[in-house]
Amino acid sequence: MADGEAAAARGDQRSFDRACECFKQARQHELDTSYVDARIAATEIVDLVITIQGAVILPAKPVSGKPWDGLGGGADVSKFGKELALLATTNPLVTSAASLLSGAVSRGSAAPDCFVVVEVDGHMFGGEGTFDQDDFLPHWGLRFTLPYTAASDGRLVTVTIRDRDLEDHDNVGTAHLSVAELVRRAELGHLRFFDETGTLLAGGIVELDVSVERKPAGSGR
């Protein structure tokens, strides 16, 4: 196991291959097979198929409280924070932020026209063409593949959501997390971007709905 952990810590594809082989050998001798199986799953080289299904967007701009689109007075953003603080105590696999904020996130003219862009290791996915008009609960179904990747990959994933306008697009929010963190959190439910005090951690992004599939390496899409 120690050789496998040392190889996994190096973080490159060849090292992940070596780590996975070590863990598979260890499985024949270890009593705690559940732990070894988890390490095999984390280091096995696969094609990771990631789908950004959609998001929950704060019903107003997080700093000013103004609507994303159109004119109108500002909203009391602090009340959203209190509701999110309550939500932080619930299971993300069961409860989405959309349920708690349902009264505020209904469709309407003040809702943003969100599109999503994902960047991983210099590769861009999505873009302006993904925009979902007038919705605090945008749905994109943006699917992309990270070939020959381990679930414990440390590369950075950047998810940016913008409000599509005729000229300058407003930035809704940006989330940064590693491939490993994205995979782990997606398996636990919705990815929340607020803490137990209700403080937002990624601008106006409250939550992301992400699914991850593991396919044999080289199988493509």
Side-chain angles (χ1 to χ4, degrees):
M1 289 294 292
D3 288 344
E5 296 294 357
R10 289 193 287 272
D12 58 273
Q13 182 178 326
R14 180 176 296 180
S15 297
F16 280 135
D17 274 335
R18 170 61 181 161
C20 190
E21 286 304 314
C22 289
F23 294 141
K24 287 178 178 178
Q25 292 173 14
R27 195 184 188 284
Q28 301 174 29
H29 309 288
E30 290 286 337
L31 294 177
D32 187 1
T33 57
S34 60
Y35 172 77
V36 180
D37 286 343
R39 297 304 290 138
I40 292 172
T43 55
E44 185 175 20
I45 297 298
V46 296
D47 286 356
L48 284 180
V49 181
I50 299 172
T51 305
I52 310 296
Q53 304 286 5
V56 177
I57 305 301
L58 195 72
K61 294 181 179 180
V63 176
S64 66
K66 293 182 179 180
W68 292 105
D69 282 339
L71 304 175
D76 183 4
V77 178
S78 65
K79 73 175 183 179
F80 299 130
K82 294 176 183 177
E83 292 173 330
L84 293 175
L86 292 174
L87 183 66
T89 64
T90 66
N91 186 340
L93 188 63
V94 177
T95 308
S96 166
S99 62
L100 188 61
L101 302 177
S102 58
V105 298
S106 59
R107 290 179 176 268
S109 60
D113 305 327
C114 290
F115 66 90
V116 62
V117 178
V118 180
E119 181 177 1
V120 187
D121 200 21
H123 298 283
M124 308 288 288
F125 307 95
E128 190 176 343
T130 64
F131 85 97
D132 191 0
Q133 189 168 1
D134 292 337
D135 207 338
F136 293 115
L137 305 173
H139 181 271
W140 304 294
L142 175 63
R143 178 185 174 100
F144 58 94
T145 300
L146 301 181
Y148 297 97
T149 302
S152 53
D153 194 310
R155 285 179 297 171
L156 183 67
V157 179
T158 300
V159 181
T160 300
I161 298 177
R162 307 194 74 189
D163 176 19
R164 182 176 181 267
D165 288 322
L166 293 176
E167 296 181 358
D168 295 329
H169 305 314
D170 292 330
N171 187 50
V172 173
T174 301
H176 303 282
L177 62 169
S178 67
V179 172
E181 183 182 0
L182 184 148
V183 171
R184 177 182 61 81
R185 291 177 61 182
E187 291 175 344
L188 297 175
H190 298 90
L191 280 67
R192 293 172 171 174
F193 293 95
F194 55 91
D195 62 19
E196 64 277 0
T197 68
T199 300
L200 291 163
L201 306 175
I205 304 173
V206 177
E207 198 171 75
L208 287 175
D209 181 8
V210 180
S211 63
V212 178
E213 303 172 72
R214 292 177 172 88
K215 294 192 174 184
S219 62
R221 299 183 181 180

